[in-house]
Amino acid sequence: KRKLQNEKQVVEDVDEKGKEDSGDNETEVASIRIQELQEHIYMIEQENDEIKKDRVVITKDRDALKKERDAFKKDSDAIKKDRDNIKKDSDAFKEICRDQVECPVCLEGPTSGPVHA
């Protein structure tokens, strides 16, 4: 929009004065276009800087999430190890109980009544 307004102003100035020739008009239009492109380049550079800042923040967040994930994985491995140890202890306890309760003749556990060891 600004480009069209600037170009219209240049054309109006040329019409009013009647002194400017087409070479000066083209130079002025080109100068305006160069200025607009420079402004556009500046805006792109500003956006690029913001993107770089965002990328740094995202990278930090990603690294923090990786650390959290690794900590959870470590905790999970510890919990699995504890679970396996408890299962071994439980199996050992069951075996001890079975040895003390089952009949030495038929190797079956009692199904009813009081159990005496």
Side-chain angles (χ1 to χ4, degrees), residues 70-114:
D70 293 344
F72 282 128
K73 190 173 185 179
K74 193 174 184 179
D75 288 345
S76 175
D77 291 343
I79 290 170
K80 287 178 183 177
K81 187 175 179 180
D82 288 345
R83 181 198 64 202
D84 292 342
N85 288 337
I86 290 171
K87 184 165 176 29
K88 285 179 187 176
D89 290 345
S90 173
D91 291 343
F93 181 71
K94 287 178 188 176
E95 189 63 34
I96 291 170
C97 288
R98 185 176 297 123
D99 288 343
Q100 295 202 6
V101 174
E102 73 184 4
C103 174
V105 177
C106 66
L107 300 177
E108 290 184 11
T111 56
S112 66

Side-chain angles (χ1 to χ4, degrees), residues 10-40:
V10 169
V11 171
E12 290 173 3
D13 289 346
V14 169
D15 289 342
E16 287 178 14
K17 294 178 184 176
K19 296 177 183 176
E20 297 181 46
D21 61 57
S22 65
D24 289 341
N25 186 23
E26 289 176 7
T27 303
E28 198 167 330
V29 170
S31 174
I32 292 170
R33 180 69 178 142
I34 289 171
Q35 184 179 0
E36 289 174 351
L37 290 173
Q38 288 173 339
E39 289 173 3
H40 187 70

